[in-house]
Amino acid sequence: MSNYEFDFSSVSPVDQKDIKELDRRISDFQRGKEDTERFRLYRLTRGVYGQRQEGVQMFRLKLPYGRINSEQLVRIADVSDRYATGNLHITTRQNVQLHYVKLANSPKVWTELAQLNLTAREACGNTVRNFTGSPTAGIDPNEPFDVSPYVEASFQYFLRNPICQEMGRKIKIAFSSSDADSAFTYFHDYGFIPRMQVVDGVEQRGFKVLVGGGLGAQSITGLLAYEFLPEDQIIPFMEAGLRVFDRYGEREKRMKARMKFLIQKLGFEAWMELVKQEWKALKNKSVAIDHNLVPEQAPLGTGIIPADVKPVDEHWYNEWLRTNTFEQKQKGYYGVYVRIVLGDLPSHKARALAAVIKAYAADDIRFTINQGILLKFIRPEALPLWFNELHKLGLALPGADSTADITACPGTDTCALGVTNSTGLSNILEELIREEYPDLIDEKFFKIKISGCMNACGQHMAANLGFHGSSFKHGDLVIPAMQVVLGGGVAPDGRGFIADKIVKVPTKRIPDVVRYVLDDFEKNGLEGEYYNDYFLRQGDKYFYTLLKPLADLKTMTQEEYFDWGQDHLYKQEIGVGECAGVMLDMVGVILKDAVEKIAAAREALEQSQWSDAIYSSYSAFVVAAKGMLLSKDVKCNTQKGVIDDFQTHYVESGDYTEMGNFAELVLQINQYEPEENFASDYVTQAEHFVNSVIALREAQLETSNGIDKKVVGDYYRA
């Protein structure tokens, strides 16, 4: 353990346990007692993510639907000053990231955040990631009801839930407040849009449900699972689907390890049938949602608004008022968007903003999906005052959520996977829009998004005009480039589109790409036509021909060999992504992991958590069986494959004689209700199995002079 004295005042017992464990594991790692790759897989699930720069980490919070209060905002700013760079980076998943954090300081960071009920648990790694939601939830004039309590309930239900701690890949879930789909549910593993339905004369709440969407190198639009799923069924449906994903999902080929590919592989109807089969094993067949879980925030500020307050710049104020504010469904109150360029909010501005919020708004801040901030319950007479206060902070830029409000991931600034500089390009394009296309600060349905690589953290495939980092080989040199994509995003009627790849262009020519695309639409688009409909009408070949001259490398200039923000020749430096990687491990260590699963199952039994005990036991069966298969060089890429292959290579071969059918034993998990008697029996059976295979492994080692076998870690991820 470190010598750091933790101040656990106001820190929940579960957070205390997490923080102490993280501190211990860091100490073990630094003393060489824990393998680098094993430690990496662990720390990612605690929000600690390696940067491009050696020796420092990115620390990510997990903020469901981007909700935070002023006291928490100040605490994050203070923590950033002490342990990071004094900057708060708002992400496209409504989180906050702190950069350049020393590994040893991450438990200190978490402790100080946990004192105000903030967590980093499952912010990264192969877990259920942050639940995103429309920032306008609760004040949206078009919402059937406030989805905030549903997002909060789902977040609480799956946090630390055994079924989603060690999956093959991450799961992303979104809730939109209305059919406008402002949370982009269509490209998530699970997407929920609120619905009202009359049943027996009674109006009931529910959700339209989409599944299997995703961005990245192979972007896919989600499939319709339900037109209306009653509100008490959304969490059970998610849990059943996660169980299927955990058991059948790919674990070897990282690029195929998402829910969208599993549904493609199995077929949608077969996947839904497997989900149905899991229903009996669910902890809860129905989960009622407390509609007051997230209380409606009325204005709490006590600040006195001067009667004669005037905006410091009348013209700018009128633009800001038109583009950054809207009347809430609660008449007489306004929502105000604050543009945060590149999502970077300096700590001193965060503290100043928090002070104004406490005085003149509801203490319910929402980080937005386009890396900004939404403030709620602002009285109309306070709008000039708000503009002046934001103007002092340099945060009164008009054009929120418009073409001028460009989304960009950090790219090569901090990310090991970044290919080209997305932030430098974003600054150039924002300046271009302001100077050459000023009318577009009012345009809400043409979005520009930039990612530093194809993994889509900047959500470029959900943009009408998007870019992702790439490169050209040109003679002996490498040219920084951007892949141009067109036709993604959400239409005014809520239709979701995935962009099409058009052409790759040197990154220094991207401003001309923007000019070509905007000028072409201005010249040839129909009156009132949505851009994606125009794109479909013209066809991708039309746009390839339009932009192809910009891809001609025969006209390269010296400057085009430099990336944005560089004064030297471009050199591609791509690291290993933190969710990928191969590790070497010993079979014996894998079996110890199975023992730890049994310990967790026993602990859950003692606490009468029958379902959790059963799932931990199931994991122990699979981990132990996989370890033994790897001792024979049998490599499996799904949990179901492990179960079937253990039957073939151990039971049927006669190497393991203590059972007749391994699959029947393990898959009892979805044959029985999660009750005390079955949980007790199943834990006992799993414990016996783990102990017996450990004995078998010890016998194997006697014939190999006690030398344990190293295996490839990607196959180990049970």
Side-chain angles (χ1 to χ4, degrees), residues 464-627:
N464 306 94
L465 173 56
F467 308 100
H468 81 69
S470 188
S471 63
F472 286 111
K473 189 76 168 63
H474 188 51
D476 295 330
L477 298 174
V478 179
I479 303 167
M482 284 282 176
Q483 173 68 52
V484 181
V485 302
L486 288 171
V490 179
D493 58 10
R495 287 174 295 155
F497 293 84
I498 296 294
D500 286 347
K501 293 182 179 179
I502 303 300
V503 67
K504 188 162 60 173
V505 172
T507 190
K508 285 297 182 71
R509 300 180 183 181
I510 293 302
D512 281 337
V513 170
V514 174
R515 293 183 180 100
Y516 278 37
V517 169
L518 293 178
D519 292 349
D520 172 75
F521 185 45
E522 175 67 24
K523 178 180 178 181
N524 299 313
L526 302 177
E527 181 69 27
E529 187 173 24
Y530 175 53
Y531 182 79
N532 290 359
D533 292 328
Y534 171 68
F535 172 75
L536 293 173
R537 178 163 64 83
Q538 294 283 34
D540 54 8
K541 290 183 179 179
Y542 171 87
F543 292 96
Y544 175 80
T545 302
L546 175 71
L547 299 176
K548 183 67 168 65
L550 296 175
D552 185 359
L553 301 186
K554 295 175 183 176
T555 58
M556 289 289 295
T557 65
Q558 182 67 20
E559 184 189 42
E560 289 172 329
Y561 289 95
F562 303 167
D563 201 355
W564 292 104
Q566 292 184 342
D567 57 2
H568 53 82
L569 291 177
Y570 172 75
K571 182 180 179 182
Q572 191 173 82
E573 296 176 331
I574 305 174
V576 178
E578 281 278 55
C579 296
V582 171
M583 67 177 178
L584 296 177
D585 214 334
M586 298 290 187
V587 172
V589 176
I590 295 172
L591 297 181
K592 287 180 181 177
D593 285 350
V595 173
E596 291 181 2
K597 302 288 186 189
I598 294 297
R602 286 290 178 194
E603 182 179 352
L605 270 185
E606 292 173 4
Q607 297 173 0
S608 302
Q609 297 173 347
W610 316 128
S611 180
D612 291 355
I614 291 165
Y615 211 86
S616 292
S617 300
Y618 164 78
S619 298
F621 273 121
V622 175
V623 169
K626 193 159 196 177

Side-chain angles (χ1 to χ4, degrees), residues 60 89-93 97 170 172 184 187 215-216 219 342 369-371 405-411 415 422-423 426 447-469 482 485:
R60 179 186 292 157
H89 179 71
I90 304 168
T91 77
T92 55
R93 296 204 60 75
Q97 294 176 174
K170 58 195 171 187
K172 295 183 176 180
F184 300 106
F187 65 65
L215 296 180
S219 298
L342 297 174
I369 294 160
N370 64 333
Q371 301 173 289
D405 193 2
I406 296 173
T407 300
C409 72
C415 180
S422 49
T423 57
S426 177
K447 303 293 175 56
I448 300 174
K449 299 178 184 288
I450 310 169
S451 299
C453 73
M454 67 176 66
N455 287 328
C457 292
Q459 300 180 341
H460 63 275
M461 294 299 288
N464 306 94
L465 173 56
F467 308 100
H468 81 69
M482 284 282 176
V485 302

Side-chain angles (χ1 to χ4, degrees), residues 146-210:
D146 183 3
V147 300
S148 302
Y150 300 85
V151 195
E152 180 67 33
S154 301
F155 161 73
Q156 293 181 10
Y157 190 90
F158 290 106
L159 188 68
R160 299 184 178 88
N161 194 312
I163 68 168
C164 52
Q165 297 304 302
E166 298 172 355
M167 299 180 294
R169 281 299 303 280
K170 58 195 171 187
I171 291 287
K172 295 183 176 180
I173 302 172
F175 286 74
S176 277
S177 61
S178 72
D179 283 334
D181 201 8
S182 57
F184 300 106
T185 61
Y186 73 97
F187 65 65
H188 283 75
D189 297 287
Y190 289 97
F192 297 92
I193 298 175
R195 289 279 187 273
M196 299 296 294
Q197 181 171 291
V198 177
V199 179
D200 297 327
V202 179
E203 206 170 34
Q204 293 186 357
R205 293 181 175 190
F207 287 85
K208 175 183 177 180
V209 184
L210 302 172

Side-chain angles (χ1 to χ4, degrees), residues 173-403:
I173 302 172
F175 286 74
S176 277
S177 61
S178 72
D179 283 334
D181 201 8
S182 57
F184 300 106
T185 61
Y186 73 97
F187 65 65
H188 283 75
D189 297 287
Y190 289 97
F192 297 92
I193 298 175
R195 289 279 187 273
M196 299 296 294
Q197 181 171 291
V198 177
V199 179
D200 297 327
V202 179
E203 206 170 34
Q204 293 186 357
R205 293 181 175 190
F207 287 85
K208 175 183 177 180
V209 184
L210 302 172
V211 297
L215 296 180
Q218 298 183 54
S219 298
I220 295 173
T221 300
L223 301 172
L224 179 65
Y226 295 97
E227 192 61 56
F228 182 88
L229 183 65
E231 62 176 352
D232 68 310
Q233 295 296 293
I234 62 170
I235 287 178
F237 176 67
M238 281 188 274
E239 180 178 353
L242 289 173
R243 286 170 172 263
V244 173
F245 179 61
D246 199 29
R247 186 168 306 136
Y248 292 89
E250 174 70 42
R251 289 169 185 268
E252 176 191 345
K253 301 181 182 71
R254 176 177 175 269
M255 299 306 294
K256 291 291 185 180
R258 294 297 300 273
M259 178 85 85
K260 59 188 178 183
F261 297 118
L262 176 62
I263 293 175
Q264 281 185 338
K265 177 183 175 182
L266 295 173
F268 177 70
E269 296 301 328
W271 182 82
M272 287 289 284
E273 181 60 32
L274 289 172
V275 170
K276 182 180 178 181
Q277 290 174 18
E278 292 296 319
W279 222 262
K280 183 178 285 188
L282 297 184
K283 182 191 305 186
N284 299 293
K285 311 298 189 295
S286 169
V287 179
I289 307 297
D290 178 2
H291 298 167
N292 296 314
L293 187 60
V294 182
E296 181 180 287
Q297 292 291 321
L300 302 179
T302 58
I304 298 173
I305 304 166
D308 59 348
V309 63
K310 301 291 184 185
V312 294
D313 184 314
E314 194 72 36
H315 173 74
W316 199 343
Y317 170 70
N318 289 330
E319 285 197 343
W320 174 86
L321 192 68
R322 186 179 70 250
T323 62
N324 291 35
T325 72
F326 65 95
E327 188 173 14
Q328 300 178 183
K329 72 177 184 181
Q330 297 86 0
K331 297 302 180 183
Y333 292 105
Y334 281 76
V336 171
Y337 285 107
V338 182
R339 281 185 61 187
I340 307 295
V341 176
L342 297 174
D344 289 330
L345 180 64
S347 58
H348 70 279
K349 292 187 179 183
R351 279 188 286 269
L353 183 61
V356 185
I357 289 168
K358 290 187 72 173
Y360 301 109
D363 200 7
D364 184 344
I365 306 161
R366 303 291 173 101
F367 294 127
T368 68
I369 294 160
N370 64 333
Q371 301 173 289
I373 293 175
L374 174 64
L375 309 176
K376 302 165 65 175
F377 286 96
I378 293 175
R379 288 170 287 175
E381 61 268 27
L383 290 171
L385 181 148
W386 262 106
F387 172 77
N388 292 347
E389 293 296 330
L390 292 173
H391 190 273
K392 289 179 192 175
L393 297 173
L395 299 177
L397 280 174
D401 200 31
S402 72
T403 306

Side-chain angles (χ1 to χ4, degrees), residues 621-640:
F621 273 121
V622 175
V623 169
K626 193 159 196 177
M628 295 304 291
L629 287 169
L630 290 170
S631 74
K632 286 189 172 186
D633 291 323
V634 179
K635 298 173 181 177
C636 315
N637 61 350
T638 67
Q639 289 183 346
K640 185 61 167 62

